[in-house]
Amino acid sequence: MTASCIPAHALTPVRDYKGPCTLVLSKRSIGVSTDNENLGTWPFECIRRFHSQDLNYFSFTSGRRGPYGVCDYTFKIKDEDLKKLQDILSQCTGAKFDSPRGFRSGSGSSSLIDSTPRHMTLKSRSYSHVSTPPNT
């Protein structure tokens, strides 16, 4: 899988930057960049949870091993890009999404649920813990 780029708008500061940016999703990480610089890259094992809401907002929580420590990041993205982002995250992390109600009409919400490792399934419809499978 090559990296996928999704246009976004950082609503919370990423290294003191708020504004238009690009989410760069690879097989192992999420990166945030502007036209001029890479603002940071978070390996999936450093991300505690993902959250999507109102079909236009995507958030993730970085753990202490992330490039800037524990922090919540929120981005505004287009409806059609949220579906693409969900598909990529499902492929890369094993996280599952409930089906978005009214995805085309813009109503309802879409959230991540259930993720790896399977024994850490959450009951909440809003969040997904993401971690690497145990070493065997």
Side-chain angles (χ1 to χ4, degrees), residues 78-128:
K78 294 180 181 176
D79 293 355
E80 60 272 11
D81 290 329
L82 180 62
K83 176 65 176 138
K84 179 181 175 182
L85 181 131
Q86 290 173 338
D87 290 343
I88 293 166
L89 290 175
S90 291
Q91 290 172 1
C92 295
T93 67
K96 297 185 183 191
F97 293 83
D98 58 341
S99 58
R101 295 183 319 250
F103 197 88
R104 290 191 176 102
S105 67
S107 62
S109 67
S110 175
S111 316
L112 279 166
I113 58 170
D114 190 20
S115 69
T116 53
R118 302 292 180 228
H119 67 278
M120 292 183 68
T121 302
L122 297 175
K123 301 298 180 202
S124 168
R125 294 172 46 94
S126 300
Y127 294 100
S128 175

Side-chain angles (χ1 to χ4, degrees), residues 1 13 15 24 29 31 35 69-70 72 78 85 97-98 106 108 117 135:
M1 173 185 155
R15 211 178 86 203
V24 181
S29 64
D35 290 339
V70 177
D72 293 315
K78 294 180 181 176
L85 181 131
F97 293 83
D98 58 341
N135 292 335

Side-chain angles (χ1 to χ4, degrees), residues 1-132:
M1 173 185 155
T2 60
S4 296
C5 297
I6 296 178
H9 188 92
L11 299 176
T12 54
V14 179
R15 211 178 86 203
D16 296 327
Y17 175 82
K18 287 169 57 173
C21 61
T22 301
L23 296 175
V24 181
L25 294 124
S26 72
K27 195 173 191 175
R28 301 192 187 283
S29 64
I30 293 178
V32 179
S33 63
T34 65
D35 290 339
N36 301 328
E37 66 180 314
N38 179 10
L39 299 174
T41 301
W42 291 261
F44 288 129
E45 56 268 3
C46 293
I47 296 176
R48 292 183 177 173
R49 65 183 61 99
F50 299 113
H51 178 66
S52 57
Q53 168 182 327
D54 298 332
L55 300 177
N56 292 100
Y57 298 95
F58 170 73
S59 301
F60 69 89
T61 301
S62 173
R64 61 186 164 87
R65 291 183 295 151
Y68 307 116
V70 177
C71 195
D72 293 315
Y73 300 97
T74 303
F75 303 89
K76 185 168 184 167
I77 59 176
K78 294 180 181 176
D79 293 355
E80 60 272 11
D81 290 329
L82 180 62
K83 176 65 176 138
K84 179 181 175 182
L85 181 131
Q86 290 173 338
D87 290 343
I88 293 166
L89 290 175
S90 291
Q91 290 172 1
C92 295
T93 67
K96 297 185 183 191
F97 293 83
D98 58 341
S99 58
R101 295 183 319 250
F103 197 88
R104 290 191 176 102
S105 67
S107 62
S109 67
S110 175
S111 316
L112 279 166
I113 58 170
D114 190 20
S115 69
T116 53
R118 302 292 180 228
H119 67 278
M120 292 183 68
T121 302
L122 297 175
K123 301 298 180 202
S124 168
R125 294 172 46 94
S126 300
Y127 294 100
S128 175
H129 286 280
V130 177
S131 59
T132 56

